[in-house]
Amino acid sequence: VDAVVNAANNRLTDIENNRQSNHLRLIDNVNLNGIKDTYKVIYTGTFEGNGLTMSGISLDAVTNDLATFGLFGKTEYATIRNINFEVGNINSTARYVGGIAGIAINTSFVDVKVNSSDINAVIKGANLVGGFVGLNVVNDPKVENYNLYSSVSVTANFHNQQTDIGAKAFGSGKE
């Protein structure tokens, strides 16, 4: 099923409410101010951005209940392509934090930009933090990752004892 996302019918609220595979197609620039719970989702579909922009991505969840945090908590066997994301502050105590996903498993990113909507915006997390994803796991030879750019600052707090080498994994131009 191909759901259309536009400024009038922000279909990401559909994603907030279920974890099924959704194929989304952006037809307008969309401001996500007010979206709160997409980070709980495991996204497994195709997100076609048509070269448009999703802005207003600012998330805050300081809780010990989360392992992953981002616009989507986790992506698995997903494709995200031809889209620009404008992120503000993303603040979490989760272990894996990214602008798009905390963890991406066998996810293709093609022609994707993650830019800061504010010069002072920062993505913060506990261990593995990145402009795109906190942790990128690829074991499928069909996964494509190219034409990627991020201008977001990232910070890893390392506040728990299980620290990982390479805190700023997969992508920020300002590490």
Side-chain angles (χ1 to χ4, degrees):
V1 174
D2 195 21
V4 173
V5 179
N6 62 33
N9 76 347
N10 186 341
R11 295 295 296 254
L12 286 185
T13 55
D14 291 348
I15 292 175
E16 288 178 304
N17 297 320
N18 72 62
R19 294 174 186 249
Q20 298 175 0
S21 173
N22 286 293
H23 300 285
L24 300 173
R25 185 169 40 95
L26 202 59
I27 62 169
D28 288 329
N29 292 320
V30 173
N31 188 316
L32 296 179
N33 282 335
I35 292 291
K36 295 185 183 343
D37 292 332
T38 57
Y39 64 85
K40 296 177 182 177
V41 170
I42 300 170
Y43 185 70
T44 59
T46 297
F47 199 131
E48 173 58 55
N50 288 320
L52 297 167
T53 299
M54 294 190 91
S55 62
I57 303 169
S58 291
L59 302 167
D60 191 8
V62 179
T63 174
N64 293 329
D65 297 347
L66 296 174
T68 64
F69 195 75
L71 178 62
F72 303 112
K74 183 191 280 188
T75 59
E76 291 182 3
Y77 297 92
T79 298
I80 298 172
R81 63 180 175 225
N82 304 320
I83 190 165
N84 302 304
F85 293 98
E86 287 187 7
V87 299
N89 287 319
I90 295 178
N91 183 33
S92 177
T93 54
R95 185 169 181 201
Y96 306 104
V97 180
I100 298 173
I103 297 177
I105 299 173
N106 293 319
T107 297
S108 292
F109 294 96
V110 178
D111 293 322
V112 177
K113 291 181 181 172
V114 178
N115 291 308
S116 175
S117 60
D118 177 335
I119 191 122
N120 296 315
V122 177
I123 298 175
K124 295 180 184 177
N127 288 70
L128 295 172
V129 182
F132 282 86
V133 300
L135 176 64
N136 189 40
V137 178
V138 178
N139 55 22
D140 184 336
K142 294 180 259 179
V143 171
E144 300 177 294
N145 289 303
Y146 61 87
N147 289 341
L148 307 176
Y149 175 78
S150 175
S151 68
V152 181
S153 294
V154 298
T155 301
N157 296 328
F158 295 109
H159 73 272
N160 69 31
Q161 296 299 313
Q162 298 177 340
T163 59
D164 296 290
I165 297 172
K168 299 172 186 172
F170 196 72
S172 175
K174 294 177 119 180
E175 296 177 332

